Amino acid sequence: MASSGTPDLPTLAGGVGTSGALPVQRRDTALMAAATVGVCIGCVAGLSLTLAAAKWLPGRMQDMAAWHVGIYYAVFFASVVWAFFRGAARAAAPLLWLAVACTLAIPASSLLGWLAPGAGAWADGALLGVDLTALAGALALAWMARATARRVRSGPRDSVWSAPVRRKESESKKPPALIP
């Protein structure tokens, strides 16, 4: 226990107060954040794309269930790998934009099915609610992607959810200009 009565926190590399450097996130924290981003957003994108594919697969594929599973897991695992490769902060906004595109594919497939019946997309007016919900979901995901990108750029530098633009080392060593 620290003298203030609060529990001692694990020391982070380069902690504030020692060298003035910002604390570095622990590896387990960074991995958990990447897993959270990849799994959650990958699930949304994968489900959306498999719903859109449901309008195109009937009559074209013998084993539709296998195709749905394959589409879902391809998007899901690609999202998880991307999140671990890029890190939570740098992967979140691009993955959200992927989820926007996959979710927009649901009403886009219906629209294409109505406008070009020969294209082979299955369209049913009874599923208008699904298409409207997907459209609203895509708009919400786009809002989240923009907010996330802003947070990544300008959030607290010591947060696992922030990745501010780094200055080049040559820029950081230049003396400050005396005349603005």
Side-chain angles (χ1 to χ4, degrees), residues 42 46-47 50 66-80:
L47 286 171
T50 196
W67 273 89
H68 283 295
V69 168
I71 290 168
Y72 172 80
Y73 281 111
V75 173
F76 176 79
F77 285 125
S79 297
V80 172

Side-chain angles (χ1 to χ4, degrees), residues 147-170:
T148 299
R150 188 172 38 255
R151 167 82 161 108
V152 167
R153 282 190 314 269
S154 61
R157 292 182 59 201
D158 61 342
S159 171
V160 72
W161 303 110
S162 177
V165 177
R166 294 180 186 159
R167 294 188 307 183
K168 294 178 183 175
E169 190 172 320
S170 60

Side-chain angles (χ1 to χ4, degrees), residues 28-59:
D28 61 336
T29 302
L31 291 174
M32 182 57 86
T36 299
V37 167
V39 168
C40 294
I41 302 172
C43 181
V44 171
L47 286 171
S48 293
L49 197 58
T50 196
L51 282 172
K55 298 179 182 193
W56 294 92
L57 292 177

